[in-house]
């Protein structure tokens, strides 16, 4: 009989040490870039009110895991959806189930970590002014991660509702809400776009030369206008961001001209690609998520929880 470690939402969140998650996600991204991971195409079962998606993956040295997530319309927020799920971690050597944890905080921090790594690798060396566009759960996770890594660096937060922007900005000691998205984007060297947009919320005309954009939202439509995509050097977690249709692929990267290439972020982190070429280049990292990143975060949560004797052990 084997034992599985169960982590509820609070324990999952507490076990996701931001520095360790950042390191593990970087390892996973490099492995994706070198084609060392095993991640099959996403699948989903559809119900009348939504869907249940399954995303298994293996990253050598980090483990074997699968995320099950449901996406259903949220009656409390018309036009928006809820995402609920679990992540199961298995022993990569013998297949034993090791841990079961809440997918929501895990997805939030691994997404924020990926966006942060893209900014570290692709933003100008002198970039200090950061804007976060969005006020929902993913935007707040991004702001909280930035606060944990560099609490003194100023962060401007903007969204459709200035009051929600002020509330989200409070997650960072140097955060401030701004009156509008355009103001925040024009001020910034680095822009994190974390919205549920169905149409572009960022315009090319607002972006100064040399800006870096990390776009992690837009599951239901593009966050960025076509002119931004046209003028930017493009990066993603995996080639499928451009070669598969949404929702697995990115809305912004569909039907690119044959001469446009999308570089894998892991190839930059692993040293196979130089990344930014000069200080005036517009760089865009477009995230769609990847099961290898769930594996990385689950590995960290399991290791931290076991070291701290957190969670409930369940006999299988």
């Amino acid at each position: 009989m084997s034992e599985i470690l169960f982590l509820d939402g609070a324990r999952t969140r507490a076990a996701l040490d931001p520095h360790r998650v950042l390191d593990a996600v970087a390892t996973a991204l490099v492995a994706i870039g070198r084609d060392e991971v095993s991640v099959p195409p996403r699948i989903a079962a559809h119900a009348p009110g939504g869907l249940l998606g399954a995303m298994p993956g293996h990253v050598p040295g980090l483990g074997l895991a699968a995320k099950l997530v449901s996406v259903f319309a949220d009656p409390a927020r018309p036009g928006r959806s809820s995402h609920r799920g679990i992540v199961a971690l298995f022993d990569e050597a013998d297949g034993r189930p090791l841990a079961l944890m809440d997918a929501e905080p895990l997805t939030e921090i691994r997404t924020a970590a990926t966006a942060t790594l893209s900014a570290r690798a692709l933003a100008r060396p002198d970039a200090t002014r950061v804007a976060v566009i969005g006020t929902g759960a993913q935007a707040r996770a991004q702001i909280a991660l930035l606060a944990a890594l560099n609490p003194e660096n100023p962060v401007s937060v903007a969204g459709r509702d200035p009051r929600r922007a002020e509330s989200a900005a409070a997650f960072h000691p140097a955060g401030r809400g701004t009156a509008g998205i355009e103001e925040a984007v024009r001020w910034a060297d680095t822009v994190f776009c974390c919205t549920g947009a169905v149409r572009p919320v960022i315009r090319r005309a607002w972006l100064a030369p040399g800006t870096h954009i990390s776009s992690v939202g837009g599951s239901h439509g593009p966050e960025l206008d076509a002119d931004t995509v046209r003028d930017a050097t493009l990066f993603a977690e995996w080639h499928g961001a451009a070669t598969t249709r949404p929702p697995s692929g990115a809305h912004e990267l569909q039907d690119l001209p044959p001469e446009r290439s999308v570089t894998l972020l892991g190839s930059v982190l692993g040293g196979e690609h130089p990344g930014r070429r000069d200080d005036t280049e517009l760089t865009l990292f477009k995230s769609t998520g990847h099961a290898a990143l769930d594996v990385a975060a689950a590995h960290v949560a399991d290791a931290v929880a076991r070291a701290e004797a957190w969670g409930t052990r369940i006999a299988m």
Side-chain angles (χ1 to χ4, degrees):
M1 182 178 295
S2 62
E3 253 184 7
I4 185 168
L5 179 66
F6 173 72
L7 301 175
D8 63 15
R11 284 303 191 193
T12 301
R13 193 176 297 279
L16 290 164
D17 175 83
H19 296 278
R20 293 180 64 169
V21 170
L22 208 68
D23 289 343
V25 166
T27 297
L29 287 166
V30 171
I32 295 169
R34 294 174 178 169
D35 198 23
E36 296 172 348
V37 304
S38 175
V39 175
R42 303 176 189 180
I43 60 170
H46 293 265
L51 61 85
L52 176 65
M55 289 152 279
H58 172 250
V59 182
L62 293 180
L64 175 68
K67 181 163 71 176
L68 289 170
V69 59
S70 66
V71 183
F72 278 68
D74 187 348
R77 301 180 302 162
R80 297 194 177 189
S81 57
S82 63
H83 295 66
R84 302 181 182 91
I86 55 175
V87 175
L89 179 68
F90 296 80
D91 188 289
E92 65 176 326
D94 62 19
R96 287 179 299 113
L98 297 176
L100 190 66
M101 58 196 75
D102 186 356
E104 184 174 351
L106 185 145
T107 303
E108 290 172 3
I109 194 169
R110 62 85 156 148
T111 303
T114 306
T116 301
L117 287 164
S118 80
R120 286 185 170 183
L122 300 170
R124 299 193 321 269
D126 63 345
T128 57
R129 296 181 296 185
V130 174
V132 176
I133 309 305
T135 59
Q138 188 57 56
R140 292 174 183 235
Q142 183 66 64
I143 295 163
L145 180 59
L146 294 172
L149 298 175
N150 194 350
E152 297 180 356
N153 198 58
V155 174
S156 180
V157 182
R160 292 179 296 180
D161 184 340
R163 289 174 298 179
R164 285 179 58 86
E166 289 283 358
S167 176
F171 281 77
H172 195 293
R176 66 181 183 94
T178 57
I181 294 172
E182 180 178 353
E183 176 187 337
V185 172
R186 286 187 180 276
W187 170 82
D189 305 311
T190 302
V191 179
F192 293 95
C193 201
C194 317
T195 75
V198 297
R199 60 185 61 87
V201 297
I202 289 182
R203 303 291 175 185
R204 173 66 182 94
W206 305 343
L207 295 160
T211 301
H212 171 72
I213 311 105
S214 291
S215 169
V216 305
S219 297
H220 306 292
E223 289 190 301
L224 315 170
D225 68 356
D227 290 345
T228 297
V229 177
R230 179 200 64 205
D231 291 349
T233 304
L234 305 175
F235 300 84
E237 293 126 333
W238 65 307
H239 291 301
T243 61
T244 64
R245 308 305 295 183
S248 60
H251 289 275
E252 292 90 343
L253 303 183
Q254 299 300 298
D255 304 317
L256 292 173
E259 67 273 13
R260 295 299 307 277
S261 62
V262 179
T263 300
L264 299 188
L265 176 58
S267 296
V268 180
L269 297 175
E272 291 86 12
H273 191 280
R276 172 178 289 276
R277 293 168 297 189
D278 59 59
D279 287 348
T280 63
E281 185 178 17
L282 187 69
T283 54
L284 167 59
F285 170 68
K286 182 63 201 181
S287 172
T288 59
H290 195 279
L293 311 177
D294 298 318
V295 174
H299 169 82
V300 172
D302 177 69
V304 171
R306 290 181 187 277
E308 299 291 341
W310 290 344
T312 304
R313 297 179 182 273
I314 303 170
M316 295 291 290

